[in-house]
Amino acid sequence: MRLQDGNTLLALFALFLLLSVAALTVAWWHGRRWGDLSSRRHYGEALTEEEQTMLRRERRSFLIWAGISLALMALSFFALE
């Protein structure tokens, strides 16, 4: 399998782009829970200690998965060059 082959490069592009969409979907899932807890805190609802821990964990998970998605998307476009 040569990396100069056009079909191979196109397949790598599609694979990395698909993985990027999958990572973005996971980030979206964590972002929904983060947004829910953040919204509740913003509008004055007191969060329990467990919910505050979950808020931090979901924010961190969202940022990690969004970063992975961004890196995979960049990698997919670099595969085209």
Side-chain angles (χ1 to χ4, degrees):
M1 181 167 93
R2 294 178 51 223
L3 286 181
Q4 299 301 326
D5 183 22
N7 291 334
T8 303
L9 292 177
L10 192 57
L12 282 175
F13 169 76
L15 175 68
F16 287 138
L17 200 59
L18 181 67
L19 291 174
S20 174
V21 169
L24 189 61
T25 303
V26 173
W28 169 76
W29 180 257
H30 287 288
R32 277 186 49 211
R33 292 190 283 187
W34 170 34
D36 178 49
L37 291 170
S38 178
S39 177
R40 287 173 44 200
R41 184 177 67 177
H42 176 75
Y43 286 107
E45 186 176 333
L47 299 179
T48 65
E49 188 64 37
E50 180 181 318
E51 288 173 329
Q52 289 178 0
T53 302
M54 183 186 291
L55 175 70
R56 287 188 295 273
R57 184 176 57 239
E58 294 301 329
R59 178 178 49 227
R60 183 177 51 244
S61 294
F62 169 78
L63 292 173
I64 288 170
W65 281 105
I68 290 170
S69 175
L70 185 62
L72 284 169
M73 184 177 53
L75 192 58
S76 72
F77 284 101
F78 283 129
L80 288 179
E81 289 187 10

